[in-house]
């Protein structure tokens, strides 16, 4: 297949291509600066340790934390498990209240349910509306009654909502509630002030911000300790033992440094491109629905529903031309509607016709215009067949 014949990629919330500048740094780390950062007896180890230290500073600077707060992991799912499971120690005794948003990523929901099944926590679900917005009054009511932990993300991985982090932070600080924030979709796209906003644990995923897969981080507020899930080494303060993935760490650090420099300009351009695509689809597709909080969403997110046309039928027609998704990548192949859309209580016809389009910094106007044309043609044809 020729490069120009490849499907247009509009699934940036599932994963991003690695920035070429980052790839070059990773290659150098793998082939030249390849030492083990725990090897303290020679210059190769010293060089690797220096690279890891630099990456910690780059990540901490982006999210306004201290370098010592950063723990490297294999990705957001490990960070989520380490934070939530590590917070609820096996000897914690009777179940403690665990406040959870029903529109969290599946990795968060599954981990919380596992903790509940172990008898360590009792989940209390937050209320969300038809746009997947959190009921802040309900959040405050639950926090006022006390809780062991709040799990509430920074930005939604399906409909793209950006949540009011500063306001949430004021609530949790008022009632001294520890807060786990899944920042997978947000870090590198919106400003995050870890130290100022009352976040206790923040999960970061490399492959959502143009770094490679298989690398992530957990930011931990000072004076909070976690129960380690793994044993076998003293790396990462004995919370996450094992030889550090130095190339991945360097890639994540470089990605954070570049996002800090380029985020504002990039996200402005991405939003303009998204709005152009949205306007074209809205103009030519009857009854098109745009899901989520349209006033507070990620720049690249466009979550749509085409009522009465199954998304599977649309994807089948366009999959060789256009890469979009019917939901979160973690739930691919699952026939049931997304838990996020169910929590929003969308009508069945809108859930069946829901699709997530997500643009990134490498998406061009030409590609988004072509994507609009492909979608409009496919949906128009299906409308004619089904009416």
């Amino acid at each position: 297949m020729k490069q120009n014949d490849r499907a247009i990629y509009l699934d940036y919330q599932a994963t991003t291509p690695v920035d070429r500048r980052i790839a070059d740094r990773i290659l150098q780390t793998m082939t030249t600066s390849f030492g083990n950062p725990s090897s303290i007896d020679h210059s190769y180890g010293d060089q690797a340790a220096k690279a890891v230290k630099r990456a910690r500073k780059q990540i901490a600077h982006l999210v306004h934390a201290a370098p010592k707060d950063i723990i490297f992991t294999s990705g957001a799912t490990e960070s989520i498990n380490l934070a939530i499971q590590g917070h609820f120690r096996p000897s914690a005794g009777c179940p403690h209240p665990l406040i959870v948003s029903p529109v969290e990523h599946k990795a968060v929901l599954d981990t919380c349910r596992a903790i509940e099944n172990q008898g360590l926590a009792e989940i209390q679900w937050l209320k969300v509306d038809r746009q997947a917005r959190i009921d802040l009054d309900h959040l405050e009511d639950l926090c006022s009654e006390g809780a062991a932990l709040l799990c509430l993300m920074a930005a939604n991985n399906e409909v793209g909502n950006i949540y009011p982090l500063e306001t949430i932070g004021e609530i949790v600080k008022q009632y001294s509630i520890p807060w786990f924030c899944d920042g997978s979709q947000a870090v590198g796209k919106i400003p995050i002030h870890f130290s100022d906003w009352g976040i206790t644990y923040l999960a970061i995923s490399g492959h959502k911000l143009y770094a490679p897969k298989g690398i992530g981080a957990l930011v931990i507020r000072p004076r909070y300790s976690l129960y380690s899930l793994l044993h076998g080494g003293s790396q990462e303060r004995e919370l996450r033992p094992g030889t550090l993935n130095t190339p991945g760490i360097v890639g994540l650090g470089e990605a954070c440094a570049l996002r800090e420099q380029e985020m504002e300009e990039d996200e402005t351009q991405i939003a303009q491109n998204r709005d152009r695509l949205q306007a074209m689809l809205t103009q030519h597709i009857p009854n098109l629905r745009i899901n989520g909080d349209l006033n507070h969403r990620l720049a690249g997110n466009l979550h749509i529903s085409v009522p009465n046309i199954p998304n599977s039928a649309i994807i089948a027609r366009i999959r060789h031309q256009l890469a979009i998704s019917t939901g979160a990548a973690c739930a691919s192949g699952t026939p049931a509607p997304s838990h996020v859309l169910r929590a929003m209580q969308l009508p069945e016809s809108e859930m069946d016709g829901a699709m997530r389009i997500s643009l990134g910094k490498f998406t061009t106007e030409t590609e988004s215009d072509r994507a609009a044309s492909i979608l409009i043609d496919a949906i128009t044809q299906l409308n004619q067949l089904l009416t």
Side-chain angles (χ1 to χ4, degrees), residues 278-308:
Q278 178 178 315
M280 295 175 69
L281 296 179
T282 303
Q283 181 180 356
H284 293 95
I285 301 174
N287 302 319
L288 184 74
R289 304 281 190 271
I290 311 297
N291 299 316
D293 185 348
L294 302 192
N295 296 316
H296 304 93
R297 58 174 166 162
L298 295 170
N301 180 273
L302 176 55
H303 195 283
I304 64 173
S305 287
V306 185
N308 304 313

Side-chain angles (χ1 to χ4, degrees), residues 102-103 126-135 159 161 163 292-293 340-346:
V103 296
L126 285 168
K127 296 177 182 177
V128 298
D129 65 11
R130 287 282 296 271
Q131 284 75 48
R133 295 175 298 196
I134 294 295
D135 185 328
V159 296
N161 286 19
Y163 292 102
D293 185 348
V340 173
L341 303 185
R342 290 200 303 271
M344 293 165 63
Q345 298 185 352
L346 293 188

Side-chain angles (χ1 to χ4, degrees), residues 108-120:
V108 173
L109 298 183
D110 285 356
T111 305
C112 289
R113 290 188 179 109
I115 291 295
E116 185 176 51
N117 290 339
Q118 293 172 40
L120 301 176

Side-chain angles (χ1 to χ4, degrees), residues 25 29 32-55 244 246 250:
R25 285 284 289 118
T29 305
T32 305
S33 306
F34 55 82
N36 187 327
S38 297
S39 297
I40 61 174
D41 297 323
H42 50 68
S43 60
Y44 289 90
D46 293 342
Q47 191 176 29
K50 184 177 179 181
V52 170
K53 183 178 181 180
R54 180 171 185 264
L244 292 178
T246 309
V250 167

Side-chain angles (χ1 to χ4, degrees), residues 4 17 54 64 78 130 132 151 159 173 175 259 314-315 334 355 377 383 386:
N4 291 339
R54 180 171 185 264
H64 296 86
E78 184 185 344
R130 287 282 296 271
C151 293
V159 296
K173 284 189 286 187
Y175 297 103
R259 297 316 298 143
I314 299 171
I315 294 294
T334 304
M355 293 175 290
D377 288 348
N383 259 325
L386 296 173

Side-chain angles (χ1 to χ4, degrees), residues 172-250:
V172 298
K173 284 189 286 187
Q174 180 180 352
Y175 297 103
S176 301
I177 306 296
W179 174 18
F180 168 71
C181 182
D182 178 7
S184 305
Q185 293 289 345
V187 172
K189 300 173 187 173
I190 63 171
I192 300 287
H193 291 260
F194 175 82
S195 297
D196 296 335
W197 288 353
I199 302 170
T200 309
Y201 312 113
L202 177 70
I204 300 174
S205 175
H207 75 104
K208 306 295 188 182
L209 50 98
Y210 311 100
K213 300 172 184 64
I215 185 64
L218 178 65
V219 192
I220 305 174
R221 182 170 288 274
R223 296 187 298 278
Y224 278 85
S225 60
L226 294 172
Y227 177 82
S228 178
L229 307 184
L230 301 171
H231 306 281
S234 59
Q235 297 94 338
E236 298 305 272
R237 300 181 354 217
E238 299 187 348
L239 281 176
R240 205 277 182 171
T243 303
L244 292 178
N245 173 12
T246 309
I249 289 169
V250 167

Side-chain angles (χ1 to χ4, degrees), residues 83-84 87-88 97-100 147-151 177-180 200-201:
I84 299 174
H87 187 82
F88 289 89
L98 169 59
I99 305 171
V100 184
L149 185 67
L150 165 68
C151 293
I177 306 296
W179 174 18
F180 168 71
T200 309
Y201 312 113

